[in-house]
Amino acid sequence: MKSIKVTILGKEYPLKVEDSEEEAMRRIAQYVDEKFRQYKKELNKQPDTTVMTLAALSIAEELFEERKRNRELDNQGDEVLQNVNKSLEEFIEEIKS
């Protein structure tokens, strides 16, 4: 484990991560910081907790949309494989005949 610090909305947060995860975690923290800053700029009169909550909901929405796309792609891939298998089985049967 490695200790790192990331900054979000000007505040440092200590994190413990595996060496192999450090760069990814820094990129994630930077993304979260950018999202929070974007919302803070748009909602400058709202308290930070409101800004952070709305930004977190937006990030969660992105995550759920990506998960849905991945499921759809998986389903499409399964369908393609089934069609390929069916075609191969039919081809093998033709060769046998």
Side-chain angles (χ1 to χ4, degrees):
M1 278 292 191
K2 181 176 188 175
S3 293
I4 64 171
K5 290 184 180 179
V6 297
T7 304
I8 297 174
L9 283 181
K11 183 175 179 184
E12 280 193 348
Y13 295 91
L15 300 174
K16 287 193 178 200
V17 298
E18 298 293 332
D19 288 348
S20 61
E21 298 172 338
E22 180 180 358
E23 284 305 310
M25 186 54 66
R26 290 189 186 281
R27 284 193 311 271
I28 291 167
Q30 181 180 4
Y31 181 80
V32 169
D33 182 55
E34 288 171 3
K35 245 337 175 182
F36 283 6
R37 288 181 185 282
Q38 173 190 346
Y39 273 73
K40 188 166 180 70
K41 184 178 178 182
E42 293 172 10
L43 305 166
N44 59 0
K45 294 185 178 167
Q46 296 295 321
D48 282 351
T49 54
T50 300
V51 170
M52 294 170 99
T53 300
L54 293 173
L57 287 170
S58 174
I59 292 168
E61 179 183 26
E62 291 174 19
L63 172 65
F64 276 63
E65 287 174 3
E66 286 303 316
R67 284 180 177 173
K68 180 181 176 189
R69 278 190 214 116
N70 283 339
R71 279 192 306 274
E72 289 170 354
L73 287 174
D74 284 346
N75 290 340
Q76 288 174 359
D78 290 345
E79 188 177 316
V80 167
L81 285 175
Q82 287 174 358
N83 289 336
V84 167
N85 283 338
K86 182 179 176 186
S87 295
L88 286 173
E89 288 171 358
E90 290 171 357
F91 180 69
I92 290 170
E93 287 301 316
E94 284 180 31
I95 292 174
K96 287 181 179 179
S97 303

